[in-house]
């Protein structure tokens, strides 16, 4: 295969990424609906919604019926996951801008893929962070209690993680070239889609866990980060470096927020780890810890806002000079 043909295929792939569906409106031709008997123009009957052009049953009808049984239609879970792997940012952009028919329902999709992943871990990999833990070791402590909760509520944990990244993403990409000033509800679906992508990558790379957990962890992290950069670049339109440092801030912010949430959810277990002299020095340690953690969260968000504000002004100034 020569270089020119490869370039042509790449350009066709890029065109498909941006516009995978070509919706063509039928001409003014009048169709007769075999279902309700109504005559109409367009692609679907306005009375019963049956598609125009449905004629006698043939092999195509057999093929479509079989695909529908397994949920492999145009809006299927498998089709959406394939799009998420091949055009992540464009798929998310299509969905939040009103093209609902291009995707399987995202929240439902997150719970399904997270359930599959958690079941695989529960059955075949009963360890935590690659470390075999005995039941006695998991009875007490912050790590043990979080592990047991996360093992039985993995889908919910993925949804919570999505919510924690909404506000940092809104701060860092609110003035982006594409999807400017996206709303927080849109941000929720953005994060859900990317959490689905992350779990799908885990599932695809899970055979590496049979070899070595550190290899799996490092490979998965690298692949997920590459996908995030590609997806956010397609979604918001920044260059590689502009996307990288903003994505780094979101990653750090979401990680810190998740740690804060874990500490509060398992506060009694966290208290066991605090030295006795600190507890004596601060009468209400819960109030003290809450204040410290709140200051950390506010500092992170403020820092991200300031950096993004300066970067946006500098970019705007350079553009005006040109």
């Amino acid at each position: 295969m020569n270089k020119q043909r490869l370039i042509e295929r790449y350009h066709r792939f890029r065109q498909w990424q941006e516009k995978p569906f070509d919706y063509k409106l039928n001409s003014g031709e009048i169709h007769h609906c075999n279902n309700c008997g109504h005559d109409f123009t367009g692609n679907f009957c306005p009375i019963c919604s049956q598609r125009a052009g449905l004629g006698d049953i043939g092999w195509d009808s057999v093929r479509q019926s079989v695909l529908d049984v397994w949920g492999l239609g145009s809006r299927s879970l498998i089709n959406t996951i394939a799009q998420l792997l091949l055009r992540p940012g464009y798929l998310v952009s299509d969905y939040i801008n009103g093209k609902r028919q291009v995707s399987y329902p995202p929240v439902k999709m997150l719970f399904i893929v997270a359930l599959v992943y958690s079941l695989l871990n529960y059955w075949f990999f009963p360890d935590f962070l690659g470390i075999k833990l005995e039941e006695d070791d998991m009875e007490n402590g912050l790590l043990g209690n979080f592990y047991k909760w996360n093992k039985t509520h993995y889908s919910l944990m993925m949804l919570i993680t999505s919510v924690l990244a909404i506000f940092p993403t809104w701060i860092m990409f609110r003035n982006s070239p594409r999807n400017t000033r996206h709303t927080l509800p849109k941000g929720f679906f953005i994060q859900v889609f990317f959490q689905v992508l992350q779990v799908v990558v885990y599932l695809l790379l899970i055979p590496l866990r049979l070899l070595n957990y550190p290899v799996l962890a490092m490979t998965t992290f690298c692949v997920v980060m590459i996908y995030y950069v590609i997806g956010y670049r397609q979604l918001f339109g920044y260059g590689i470096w502009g996307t990288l440092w903003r994505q780094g801030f979101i990653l750090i912010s979401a990680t810190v927020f998740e740690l804060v949430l874990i500490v509060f959810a398992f506060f009694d277990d966290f208290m066991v780890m605090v030295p006795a002299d600190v507890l004596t020095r601060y009468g209400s340690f819960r109030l003290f810890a809450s204040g410290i953690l709140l200051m950390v969260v506010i500092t992170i968000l403020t820092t991200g806002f300031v950096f993004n504000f300066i970067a946006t002004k500098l970019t705007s100034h350079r553009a005006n000079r040109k």
Side-chain angles (χ1 to χ4, degrees):
M1 185 179 297
N2 58 38
K3 181 179 179 181
Q4 185 61 34
R5 184 172 297 180
L6 285 174
I7 294 175
E8 290 176 359
R9 289 192 176 185
Y10 172 74
H11 285 307
R12 285 199 298 269
F13 175 70
R14 287 300 306 273
Q15 291 174 359
W16 173 84
Q17 280 186 310
E18 296 183 18
K19 295 182 178 180
F21 303 106
D22 185 15
Y23 297 105
K24 294 180 180 179
L25 179 65
N26 286 337
S27 62
E29 179 184 357
I30 297 177
H31 302 279
H32 180 76
C33 179
N34 295 325
N35 186 53
C36 66
H38 181 72
D39 293 329
F40 64 96
T41 59
N43 294 335
F44 296 91
C45 174
I47 304 300
C48 67
S49 301
Q50 179 162 290
R51 185 165 58 88
L54 288 181
D56 294 335
I57 291 178
W59 287 112
D60 187 63
S61 304
V62 174
R63 179 187 61 82
Q64 189 61 47
S65 296
V66 173
L67 291 177
D68 288 341
V69 168
W70 297 100
L72 299 177
S74 61
R75 195 171 178 244
S76 70
L77 176 63
I78 301 299
N79 182 277
T80 302
I81 289 175
Q83 288 192 63
L84 202 54
L85 291 170
L86 296 174
R87 52 184 299 267
Y90 294 126
L91 172 64
V92 177
S93 181
D94 287 343
Y95 188 87
I96 66 174
N97 287 306
K99 296 182 179 180
R100 304 291 192 271
Q101 293 300 318
V102 304
S103 170
Y104 192 82
V107 176
K108 184 178 180 180
M109 180 167 53
L110 176 61
F111 272 80
I112 291 174
V113 297
L115 177 62
V116 172
Y117 180 76
S118 60
L119 288 176
L120 285 175
N121 276 291
Y122 185 83
W123 288 335
F124 300 108
F125 304 104
D127 57 297
F128 183 58
L129 299 178
I131 304 172
K132 296 292 182 181
L133 297 172
E134 302 296 335
E135 289 297 327
D136 294 341
D137 298 330
M138 301 304 297
E139 288 298 325
N140 300 304
L142 179 64
L143 180 65
N145 287 328
F146 171 69
Y147 162 74
K148 288 185 288 188
W149 186 90
N150 184 63
K151 191 174 182 179
T152 54
H153 300 83
Y154 185 72
S155 300
L156 182 59
M157 189 63 194
M158 289 292 98
L159 189 62
I160 293 173
T161 303
S162 301
V163 172
L164 294 177
I166 293 174
F167 199 61
T169 302
W170 181 79
I171 288 177
M172 302 310 294
F173 290 99
R174 58 194 301 268
N175 296 313
S176 58
R178 298 182 198 143
N179 294 300
T180 305
R181 303 273 177 178
H182 72 277
T183 63
L184 293 179
K186 287 184 177 180
F188 170 76
F189 287 105
I190 290 172
Q191 296 307 319
V192 168
F193 271 111
F194 280 101
Q195 285 297 318
V196 171
L197 179 61
Q198 180 174 324
V199 179
V200 169
V201 171
Y202 287 161
L203 287 170
L204 293 177
L205 297 179
I206 206 168
L208 292 177
R209 195 162 185 171
L210 297 172
L211 301 176
N212 185 282
Y213 186 87
V215 172
L216 169 67
M218 183 58 65
T219 304
T220 302
F221 178 78
C222 293
V223 173
V224 168
M225 288 301 100
I226 291 172
Y227 258 118
Y228 265 78
V229 172
I230 293 173
Y232 272 80
R233 190 181 180 193
Q234 292 176 353
L235 179 60
F236 294 112
Y238 282 114
I240 293 179
W241 292 113
T243 304
L244 268 174
W245 72 264
R246 288 177 172 87
Q247 181 58 41
F249 168 80
I250 295 171
L251 177 64
I252 294 172
S253 302
T255 302
V256 172
F257 298 163
E258 192 167 340
L259 290 174
V260 170
L261 189 62
I262 291 172
V263 168
F264 274 102
F266 303 95
F267 194 82
D268 292 337
D269 301 313
F270 175 71
M271 291 285 286
V272 177
M273 303 167 59
V274 179
D277 60 325
V278 175
L279 293 175
T280 305
R281 191 180 308 165
Y282 302 99
S284 178
F285 186 76
R286 183 184 290 270
L287 182 62
F288 172 75
S290 301
I292 293 297
L293 294 175
L294 181 61
M295 288 178 59
V296 171
V297 171
I298 293 175
T299 301
I300 291 175
L301 292 177
T302 303
T303 302
F305 177 83
V306 171
F307 270 89
N308 187 54
F309 179 80
I310 295 173
T312 302
K313 288 296 182 181
L314 289 175
T315 303
S316 177
H317 179 68
R318 290 171 185 169
N320 291 334
R321 289 184 62 182
K322 292 180 180 179

